[in-house]
């Protein structure tokens, strides 16, 4: 395949096998038409971008029944308020400010600009979550962002001071189109700020469940610098985040427009030290994934043999990769509990484990809870004292302690 960024010929270094749509929770009568593709990550030696070889059509994933609502996590609500406050403090000065967010979902971040009377626009293709955003006073356009959308926005609203995003850049296969859109949309001194799950954290924790259909890319500072450089942007700041199991906030401006923080040099040096630009790092990652799979299946089989009930906690997109790669179905996991109403009563993609309400977990505690929403570990542990107190055990697919 050709690298999606620099078009160099690249080879995938492993396969997670046949995968369904990670957020494709479904009813029994939909099993027959369930969509599968082969999940194969690849690494480009030229621009250092980690990517997946095949991605299903984005319209299969982002539509009026999109299952992910950002507001389901209290911690993420706090995070996005802090993100918005930080942007206002450090990157938005002057009058007539205009902020655009790509993938604004239910308005979890933009509402904190709306509340301050700042002109804003969310660009969000999933109509159901966009509707929720509007309920919160967030001006939202139901559309995929790209260079044409950027031109339409400039024609209607003028150029923007900041183009923001969270957990969406890594979803967009045509990143060159996004970079071009940013080039058109931003004022001369405007900033492009986004955060996404971080490659350095994924390699370190062997959190291979970050890889699924929606995540076409897992970024590092090295790759982000290369992706945006042809469009005249440079990295001016980097801020590691705890969200999604280890993320990075990237801040870019037009070359020479802003001073560069010392964090950029420091983090790029740390990435080189961790070998993020070397193919052998990914060979080792493949071996670590295989060892992680073997361990999880062994632990679950032991639970079953001991007659212990195991329930999944959080029907995350990430769990779709774990369950399908490890071939774990309802024979090992009785059900998955999740607080999102649209997922409840359905079955998990590919392996068809029932998804039930949070009440189903609370009312009949299992012996062991397999924490799929491990990125929300702190929030979950704070509220699940009672489960542990009556003897409940937690399990994770990660072997490293968080
Ligand atoms: N920013 C939110 C939502 C992340 S989920 C958060 O961090 O919680 C990714 C969102 O991006 C989804 O709501 C999806 O519909 C949207 N999306 C996917 N592709 C997009 C594109 N090309 N342009 C704009 N939004 C997109
Ligand atoms: P998320 O962290 O966004 O993961 P992904 O991006 O992999 O989908 O999703 C968290 C899921 O876990 C979401 O479906 C809601 C659910 N959840 C619970 O069921 N209980 C909780 O306490 C929390 C925090 C999340």
């Amino acid at each position: 395949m050709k690298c999606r960024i620099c078009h160099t010929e690249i080879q995938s270094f492993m396969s997670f096998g046949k995968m369904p749509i990670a957020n494709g929770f479904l009813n029994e009568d939909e099993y027959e038409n369930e969509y599968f593709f082969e999940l194969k990550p690849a690494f480009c030696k030229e621009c250092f971008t980690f990517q997946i070889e095949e991605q299903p059509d984005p319209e299969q994933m982002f539509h009026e029944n999109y299952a992910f609502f950002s507001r389901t996590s209290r911690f993420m609500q706090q995070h996005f308020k802090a993100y918005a406050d930080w942007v206002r403090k450090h990157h938005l000065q002057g009058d007539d400010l205009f902020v655009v967010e790509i993938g604004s979902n239910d308005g979890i971040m933009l509402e904190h600009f709306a509340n301050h009377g700042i002109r804003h626009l969310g660009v969000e293709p999933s109509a159901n979550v966009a509707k929720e955003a509007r309920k919160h006073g967030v001006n939202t356009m139901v559309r995929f962002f790209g260079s044409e959308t950027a031109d339409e926005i400039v024609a209607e609203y003028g150029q923007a001071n900041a183009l923001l995003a969270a957990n969406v850049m890594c979803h967009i296969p045509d990143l060159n189109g996004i970079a071009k859109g940013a080039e058109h949309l931003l004022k001369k001194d405007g900033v492009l700020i986004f955060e996404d799950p971080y490659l350095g954290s994924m390699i370190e924790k062997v959190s291979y469940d970050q890889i699924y259909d929606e995540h076409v890319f897992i970024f590092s500072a090295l790759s982000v610098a290369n992706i945006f450089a042809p469009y005249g942007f440079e990295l001016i700041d980097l801020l590691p985040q705890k969200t999604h199991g280890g993320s990075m906030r990237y801040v870019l401006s037009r070359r020479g427009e802003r001073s560069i923080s010392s964090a950029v040099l420091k983090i790029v040096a740390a990435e080189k030290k961790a070998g993020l630009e070397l193919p052998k790092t990914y060979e080792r990652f493949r071996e670590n994934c295989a060892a992680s799979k073997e361990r999880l299946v062994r632990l679950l089989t032991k639970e079953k043999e001991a007659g212990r009930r195991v329930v999944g906690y959080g029907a995350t997109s990430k769990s779709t990769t774990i369950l399908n790669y490890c071939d774990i179905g309802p024979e090992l996991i009785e059900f998955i509990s999740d607080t999102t109403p649209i997922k409840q009563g359905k079955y998990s993609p590919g392996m068809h484990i029932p998804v039930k309400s949070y009440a189903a977990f609370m009312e009949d505690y299992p012996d062991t809870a397999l924490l799929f929403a491990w990125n929300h570990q702190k929030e979950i542990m704070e509220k699940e004292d009672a489960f542990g107190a009556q003897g409940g055990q937690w399990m994770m697919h990660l072997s490293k302690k968080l």
Side-chain angles (χ1 to χ4, degrees):
M1 75 170 283
K2 294 252 189 299
C3 168
R4 291 168 194 276
I5 304 297
C6 69
H7 311 296
T8 303
E9 193 62 42
I10 56 174
Q11 288 263 310
S12 74
F13 57 85
M14 70 178 289
S15 173
F16 289 103
K18 201 175 83 153
M19 278 292 152
I21 302 285
N23 252 318
F25 296 89
L26 71 180
N27 296 311
E28 265 171 285
D29 61 0
E30 294 169 313
Y31 288 174
E32 213 179 308
N33 293 322
E34 193 169 11
Y35 176 90
F36 289 92
F37 69 105
E38 191 180 355
L39 182 64
K40 288 168 89 175
F43 173 73
C44 177
K45 280 184 278 194
E46 287 300 315
C47 68
F48 309 141
T49 307
F50 186 104
Q51 51 203 287
I52 59 173
E53 216 177 75
E54 189 186 335
Q55 192 203 23
D57 181 357
E59 283 164 26
Q60 294 247 24
M61 300 180 284
F62 309 117
H63 42 57
E64 68 286 357
N65 288 320
Y66 187 56
F68 176 71
F69 283 73
S70 302
R71 288 175 200 273
T72 45
S73 158
R74 190 175 46 78
F75 176 76
M76 290 310 285
Q77 291 190 23
Q78 290 163 1
H79 174 76
F80 282 113
K81 180 176 182 311
Y83 186 172
D85 289 348
W86 178 88
V87 172
R88 281 195 300 111
K89 182 164 172 214
H90 296 280
H91 292 288
L92 284 183
Q93 274 91 37
D95 306 319
D96 193 27
L97 299 170
F98 177 44
V99 174
V100 177
E101 186 186 349
I102 307 176
S104 44
N105 200 272
D106 54 12
I108 189 167
M109 172 149 73
L110 280 183
E111 75 169 315
H112 301 291
F113 294 94
N115 291 345
H116 284 81
I118 295 176
R119 238 163 24 101
H120 65 273
L121 177 67
V123 186
E124 172 49 68
S126 301
N128 58 337
V129 294
K131 191 167 157 201
E132 187 64 25
R134 291 193 182 120
K135 283 194 207 151
H136 291 267
V138 171
N139 185 24
T140 310
M141 165 186 210
V142 178
R143 197 76 60 83
F144 285 93
F145 185 85
S147 68
E148 280 173 27
T149 317
D151 292 340
E152 281 173 46
I153 299 173
V154 175
E156 195 176 338
Y157 298 84
Q159 283 187 308
N161 300 79
L163 177 59
L164 310 178
N167 308 306
V168 59
M169 285 296 192
C170 67
H171 292 55
I172 303 178
D174 179 21
L175 262 192
N176 287 313
I178 299 287
K180 205 194 265 177
E183 196 187 1
H184 294 190
L185 181 64
L186 285 172
K187 291 183 181 164
K188 184 163 173 286
D189 61 349
V191 278
L192 167 63
I193 309 178
F194 64 94
E195 39 183 64
D196 276 296
Y198 181 51
L199 184 65
S201 307
M202 183 184 89
I203 296 294
E204 191 205 330
K205 293 179 180 147
V206 198
S207 46
Y208 66 83
D209 51 334
Q210 292 291 3
I211 306 168
Y212 53 90
D213 55 356
E214 293 180 25
H215 289 177
V216 198
F217 302 107
I218 311 281
F219 299 124
S220 58
L222 286 163
S223 58
V224 166
N226 286 332
I227 293 167
F228 289 93
Y231 301 88
F233 290 102
E234 66 182 354
L235 266 176
I236 57 164
D237 205 0
L238 290 167
L239 294 97
Q241 305 292 317
K242 291 209 165 72
T243 47
H244 290 288
S247 296
M248 185 63 80
R249 183 178 301 166
Y250 305 91
V251 186
L252 298 104
S253 73
R254 293 188 202 274
R255 198 170 295 118
E257 277 294 320
R258 304 259 184 143
S259 56
I260 299 178
S261 141
S262 59
V264 175
L265 263 183
K266 209 171 113 199
I267 291 176
V268 166
E271 289 188 351
K272 288 192 173 155
K273 195 163 169 226
L276 294 192
E277 86 285 40
L278 303 175
K280 71 168 192 243
T281 303
Y282 303 95
E283 299 294 327
R284 197 164 55 234
F285 177 70
R286 181 188 57 214
E287 289 161 17
N288 290 342
C289 289
S292 170
K293 169 179 178 171
E294 193 270 328
R295 172 183 167 273
L296 182 63
V297 172
R298 181 166 31 84
L299 291 176
L300 287 172
T301 308
K302 242 168 105 182
E303 293 291 282
K304 187 183 163 89
E305 284 167 4
R308 291 164 57 82
R309 289 176 57 225
V310 180
V311 162
Y313 195 109
T316 55
S317 321
K318 294 186 286 291
S319 66
T320 298
T321 297
I322 303 175
L323 294 167
N324 286 274
Y325 172 53
C326 301
D327 197 20
I328 295 166
E331 67 295 342
L332 290 176
I333 296 182
E334 194 178 304
F335 65 90
I336 307 173
S337 138
D338 195 283
T339 50
T340 318
I342 193 172
K343 297 182 187 176
Q344 296 161 1
K346 295 196 173 165
Y347 293 85
S348 75
M351 298 311 298
H352 305 157
I353 300 173
V355 180
K356 297 191 178 175
S357 68
Y358 178 50
F361 171 79
M362 292 271 285
E363 285 160 13
D364 186 13
Y365 279 147
D367 298 294
T368 298
L370 175 50
L371 185 60
F372 288 128
W374 57 272
N375 46 312
H376 301 284
Q377 186 183 28
K378 187 165 176 280
E379 174 173 352
I380 292 170
M381 291 308 134
E382 272 168 21
K383 67 179 180 198
E384 297 298 353
D385 276 354
F387 172 61
Q390 54 81 54
Q393 298 283 323
W394 289 99
M395 189 191 281
M396 269 199 294
H397 79 298
L398 303 173
S399 41
K400 253 198 163 153
K401 268 214 154 46
L402 291 179

